Amino acid sequence: EVQLVESGGGLVQPGGSLRLSCAASGFTFDDYTMTWVRQAPGEGLEWVSVLTWGGGTTYYGASAKGRFTASRDNAKNTLYLQLNSLKTEDTAMYYCSKSPSPRMTADRALGAGYESRGQGTQVTVSS
């Protein structure tokens, strides 16, 4: 059974930082492209970062560039997202998602949607 468990969210002031984690199990982690996505209240899912299988390449969405850093530790089956210089508009539920098939390119993984994702971790940025 595929399990994705996000953690590390919380309440932080503008300009602050958080480090999110996603513990994966039930599949061969390093064979799958992984994506961080977020959902703000009343909004749809927005991709934040996508990391190709095996740790090949990392891409960032416009909202994340220059402030967020994503990484994966294939030995620990864990995905990370370092959030720096947080803004109020970063307030959202953050999810990690696995691609539906192994060894997908980033653009195919993004086009396939985010059906397989965890329960999320809430990030609230407020003074």
Side-chain angles (χ1 to χ4, degrees), residues 3 12 16 27-28 33 35 47 54 64 72-73 78 80 92 96 98 105 111-112 117 126:
Q3 286 198 327
V12 63
F27 62 102
T28 305
T33 292
T35 304
W47 77 275
R72 61 190 297 165
D73 186 335
T78 302
Y80 301 99
C96 63
K98 64 175 283 292
T105 60
R117 62 182 187 269
S126 175

Side-chain angles (χ1 to χ4, degrees), residues 18-107:
L18 285 172
R19 189 191 194 205
L20 309 184
S21 298
C22 168
S25 62
F27 62 102
T28 305
F29 182 71
D30 56 358
D31 272 353
Y32 284 79
T33 292
M34 300 295 294
T35 304
W36 282 103
V37 296
R38 70 184 186 182
Q39 188 168 28
E43 303 290 331
L45 289 169
E46 173 193 12
W47 77 275
V48 175
S49 179
V50 57
L51 301 90
T52 57
W53 61 275
T57 310
T58 303
Y59 301 93
Y60 296 94
S63 61
K65 285 181 181 177
R67 299 188 300 126
F68 299 172
T69 302
S71 60
R72 61 190 297 165
D73 186 335
N74 291 331
K76 295 183 178 179
N77 289 357
T78 302
L79 194 69
Y80 301 99
L81 185 66
Q82 178 69 40
L83 310 174
N84 295 329
S85 302
L86 282 162
K87 305 174 183 180
T88 55
E89 52 263 44
D90 294 319
T91 295
M93 186 72 79
Y94 284 71
Y95 303 90
C96 63
S97 172
K98 64 175 283 292
S99 57
S101 300
R103 305 194 174 195
M104 292 184 82
T105 60
D107 57 347

